[in-house]
Amino acid sequence: MDSLREQIEEARRFIAPKLEDYKPKIAIVLGSGLGSLAEGLNETISIPYSEIPGFAASTVQGHSGRMVIGKLDDCEVIAMQGRTHFYEGYDMQQVTFYVRVLRALGIETLILTNAAGGLNPVYRPGDLMGITDHIFMPGMAGHNPLRGPNDDQLGLRFPAMLIAYTPALLDLAEREARRLGITFHQGVYVMLAGPSFETRAELRYLRMIGGDAVGMSTAPETIVANHASMRVLGISAITNTATGEGEAEANHDEVLAVGREAGPHLARLIRAIVTRLY
Ligand code: HPA
């Protein structure tokens, strides 16, 4: 088995010639039902994950699984349409491999989006939440993507995580959301492994420990992006209430449907953010 660095290099070598003259510095990861942003890109080059050496293909409905390189207005970006999840059976190294490859391709800023349940009782389906911090439950239980030998050329053995989400990017997102009239909260994202949704008691617990939104992605990628010295912005689209009150049950179809509704807001916001960053 090749070392992690060799695997990254193999994927980079496969993708780099396809970038032609593009030199994107920003990548955007599109979560469940949020893939529509990629359709707004111009002059695109599209690479299915299944063709990229070392990439795992997503098995989940609503995650189409391709890398799209193109222009958002005049800004060069890479959009990752779909991601793989720990609950699909991949390990944490596999679900974060693409972050390593983006870094090797020259990406400096990673915008991670996801669909999430709203633990905070103020949140409504369709709202957006800028991630201030996370609680990475699988990571705390031993499934940290940095577990195992550390390659010092990729990052530190013990990277700090006190400021995992870049405050300047969050401030920018908040300002742009206000300007565009888009509801934008700021809060703590809790990641669970899934795939089952939470019990009522778990939801009460997650709220008690300080969570505002709950989902099944993003935290491992944020860890690896920080390890690789990237700037990170995380945005959750709240697709359902997850307060444990009332009868409503979260389900994947609802997550996808509300995600699609929130998609245009999120796309407008990301467009505004990216324009300010260039
Ligand atoms: N729980 C966990 N993950 C989710 C949810 C939820 O309620 N909604 C969207 N992703």
Side-chain angles (χ1 to χ4, degrees), residues 28-32 34 83 111-115 217-218 221 233-237 266 270:
I28 307 154
V29 182
L30 305 168
S32 302
L34 301 170
R83 58 150 73 79
I111 302 179
L112 294 164
T113 71
N114 59 56
S217 67
T218 303
E221 293 127 291
L233 173 64
I235 303 178
S236 294
L266 189 62
I270 287 177

Side-chain angles (χ1 to χ4, degrees), residues 8-79:
I8 296 165
E9 178 53 22
E10 195 186 345
R12 192 201 64 77
R13 265 204 312 270
F14 175 82
I15 298 165
K18 303 188 194 308
L19 292 183
E20 299 168 6
D21 292 332
Y22 282 113
K23 290 190 181 55
K25 296 275 179 255
I26 299 176
I28 307 154
V29 182
L30 305 168
S32 302
L34 301 170
S36 63
L37 183 99
E39 267 105 65
L41 296 186
N42 299 315
E43 299 168 43
T44 55
I45 300 157
S46 173
I47 311 172
Y49 294 161
S50 57
E51 292 179 7
I52 304 174
F55 268 48
S58 177
T59 60
V60 193
Q61 176 209 353
H63 291 261
S64 64
R66 58 192 186 129
M67 178 184 268
V68 184
I69 301 122
K71 291 186 178 170
L72 197 54
D73 297 324
D74 282 331
C75 310
E76 297 177 359
V77 298
I78 296 180

Side-chain angles (χ1 to χ4, degrees), residues 170-191:
L170 193 57
D171 288 349
L172 174 63
E174 167 90 42
R175 270 203 310 281
E176 291 302 313
R178 201 171 305 150
R179 192 174 62 77
L180 294 168
I182 294 170
T183 307
F184 189 83
H185 308 287
Q186 292 195 20
V188 172
Y189 177 85
V190 187
M191 186 216 168

Side-chain angles (χ1 to χ4, degrees), residues 32 115-118 189 192 196-198 203 214-216 237 239-242 250 255:
S32 302
Y189 177 85
L192 301 189
S196 52
F197 287 114
E198 302 71 34
L203 292 174
V214 56
M216 304 174 192
T239 53
N240 54 284
T241 55
V255 167

